[in-house]
Amino acid sequence: MVQNIILIVEDDPDIRELTSLYLGKKGYEVFIAENGLQALEIVNKEKPHLILLDIVLPGMKGFELCEKIRELTDVPILFLSSKRDSIDKIKGLEVGGDDYITKPFDFAELEARVRANLRRNRLMASNEHKKKRVLTYGHLSIDLDSYEVFVDGKLVSLYAKELQLLLLLVNNPNQVFSADQLYDQIWGIDSYGDLKTVLVHISKLRRKIEVNPSKPVLIQTVRGFGYKFNA
């Protein structure tokens, strides 16, 4: 089982060390930071799964640091503070915090909050992954929700008809379509134009999604019949 990584950002050495020792004994991999700059370095390098963040820090304050961390990651952030005012709790949530724990705290309660936030984050990530509909064929990925196309992870810009043509072929893998059929499906029977339009769009599409457009692998020509998407 992969260890959850926790970053503790706390300037009080006693609280920092005791919290680190307790969570370490509970099986977490713990990193500590005394200030905002150290914390940002660890976030970038170690990719923690959860962050315990003090509000009162030297230099960069906790609220400001939380906003900067949110630009890098969406992992749970639990504020640690001796302030019990509701205004501070509200501020902590507004800047991107997920929970607020007042000092002095019970270590067992702290770990329960840690476990709950880690579990909630895993469930959200799992649900988001399930909701996202992505088709992948080798180096080509198509997001069916956003209608974005990626080649080797890079976004490729397709015109509307190119995308419609690609989706028609992808949704009917290995089915051969004649140029007439493609024209009727994409441009419509009553549209004005000729079959060269299909050839031109197939050629443009290949240049954008094929590794070697002169030797297409994904959109193949079936001589004498038409085109198919090779799944």
Side-chain angles (χ1 to χ4, degrees):
M1 183 176 177
V2 178
Q3 275 186 311
N4 283 305
I5 300 173
I6 295 179
L7 169 61
I8 301 171
V9 188
E10 169 65 65
D11 65 331
D12 185 311
D14 292 331
I15 295 176
R16 189 172 62 236
E17 296 303 323
L18 287 173
T19 307
S20 175
L21 286 171
Y22 182 86
L23 292 175
K25 288 180 179 178
K26 291 295 181 178
Y28 298 98
E29 183 176 358
V30 182
F31 289 86
I32 58 175
E34 300 177 23
N35 55 58
L37 292 178
Q38 287 181 3
L40 290 173
E41 288 180 6
I42 294 171
V43 169
N44 276 309
K45 184 178 179 182
E46 305 297 340
K47 313 297 183 191
H49 299 108
L50 181 141
I51 299 169
L52 298 176
L53 177 57
D54 187 19
I55 290 178
V56 181
L57 293 169
M60 190 187 308
K61 300 304 178 186
F63 292 144
E64 181 187 354
L65 177 57
C66 181
E67 291 178 315
K68 289 187 179 297
I69 291 173
R70 276 288 168 256
E71 296 174 3
L72 304 172
T73 179
D74 60 356
V75 300
I77 297 176
L78 282 63
F79 278 107
L80 304 177
S81 176
S82 56
K83 297 183 177 181
R84 297 177 179 270
D85 296 338
S86 60
I87 189 168
D88 289 307
K89 296 179 182 179
I90 293 170
K91 176 68 173 177
L93 297 174
E94 285 179 343
V95 297
D98 296 277
D99 205 345
Y100 191 102
I101 303 170
T102 54
K103 303 175 186 176
F105 49 79
D106 178 80
F107 283 116
E109 180 188 351
L110 173 67
E111 200 219 342
R113 298 275 194 100
V114 167
R115 285 200 313 268
N117 278 276
L118 286 171
R119 182 170 59 249
R120 188 181 305 119
N121 203 52
R122 281 196 301 269
L123 286 172
M124 289 176 62
S126 176
N127 291 336
E128 194 64 31
H129 179 72
K130 289 177 183 176
K131 287 190 293 184
K132 199 169 182 65
R133 299 182 301 145
V134 178
L135 296 177
T136 301
Y137 301 96
H139 64 282
L140 174 70
S141 296
I142 305 168
D143 189 321
L144 297 178
D145 295 314
S146 64
Y147 289 123
E148 292 178 319
V149 177
F150 300 86
V151 173
D152 289 328
K154 295 181 180 179
L155 182 64
V156 175
S157 178
L158 298 183
Y159 291 112
K161 294 300 182 188
E162 293 171 350
L163 180 57
Q164 291 171 20
L165 186 59
L166 177 61
L167 289 174
L168 174 62
L169 292 170
V170 165
N171 286 325
N172 298 277
N174 300 315
Q175 179 178 334
V176 179
F177 289 90
S178 67
D180 289 289
Q181 289 173 319
L182 291 175
Y183 187 84
D184 290 346
Q185 292 259 16
I186 303 301
W187 285 268
I189 297 174
D190 298 326
S191 297
Y192 294 100
D194 57 42
L195 299 183
K196 289 182 181 177
T197 302
V198 176
L199 274 62
V200 169
H201 279 74
I202 289 287
S203 177
K204 288 181 177 178
L205 198 49
R206 282 172 169 165
R207 286 201 295 271
K208 292 181 178 181
I209 70 170
E210 296 280 3
V211 174
N212 184 354
S214 62
K215 295 181 180 179
V217 173
L218 295 173
I219 300 179
Q220 296 184 338
T221 300
V222 181
R223 294 192 179 278
F225 294 96
Y227 306 93
K228 72 171 184 176
F229 185 81
N230 178 29

